[in-house]
Amino acid sequence: MSYASAAALQEAVYQRLFADTALTASVGTAIYDAAPSGIAPKTYVSLGPEDAKDASDAGNSGAWHDFTVSVVTEEAGFHTAKDVAALISDALVDADLTLSRGRLLSLRFLSARARRVEDGDIRRIDLKFRARVDED
C-alpha cells in the first residue's frame, strides 16, 4: 500500500461534485477543497478529512480511503443541508471516477452526522464515503 492515489482520488471527487449540475444549481461554485477563508457563502460544500488503510493482497496494491464531504449552511433548520447532502450522495455513490493515478474499484456511502455548530446558528452535515483504490 501507498498513499500515492490519495491526491488523484480527491481531485476526481472534487471534479465530480463540481460537474454535477443538480449540485451546482443548489450551491453554485461554492464547492471547496478546504473550508473557505473570509466571508463564506450561506451554503457551501467542503472536502474534509480522510483516513487511508492498506487493502493490498497477494496480487494487487491498494487502499481503502474513508473521506468526508461536508455541507455547511446558515439556513434555518436542516432541510437545505439535507437536500444538498442528498445531491452529494447521488453524485458520488457508485460513481465511475477516472483517477490520474490508480484505479477506483468502488465508492460507497458510509455514514452521515448532522449537527448544529457555532452556537446553533450554523448547520453542518458530514458525509463519510469509502473508496477502494487499486494502485497497480
Side-chain angles (χ1 to χ4, degrees), residues 31-53:
I31 302 170
Y32 303 103
D33 186 18
S37 60
I39 299 174
K42 195 166 189 164
T43 301
Y44 66 90
V45 174
S46 178
L47 301 183
E50 171 191 28
D51 294 308
K53 295 179 184 176

Side-chain angles (χ1 to χ4, degrees), residues 43-128:
T43 301
Y44 66 90
V45 174
S46 178
L47 301 183
E50 171 191 28
D51 294 308
K53 295 179 184 176
D54 186 27
S56 301
D57 57 29
N60 296 306
S61 177
W64 292 103
H65 294 263
D66 293 351
F67 64 92
T68 302
V69 178
S70 299
V71 178
V72 181
T73 187
E74 295 175 7
E75 297 286 343
F78 279 96
H79 193 270
T80 296
K82 288 180 178 182
D83 282 346
V84 173
L87 294 171
I88 293 167
S89 186
D90 289 346
L92 294 180
V93 171
D94 295 326
D96 184 19
L97 304 180
T98 300
L99 307 184
S100 61
R101 182 170 182 173
R103 181 171 55 102
L104 181 66
L105 301 178
S106 68
L107 179 54
R108 64 186 176 99
F109 170 78
L110 283 181
S111 66
R113 181 175 182 231
R115 66 189 187 282
R116 289 182 175 92
V117 293
E118 297 183 21
D119 297 327
D121 294 336
I122 305 289
R123 271 62 171 178
R124 179 183 181 115
I125 298 178
D126 293 322
L127 299 136
K128 291 191 179 189

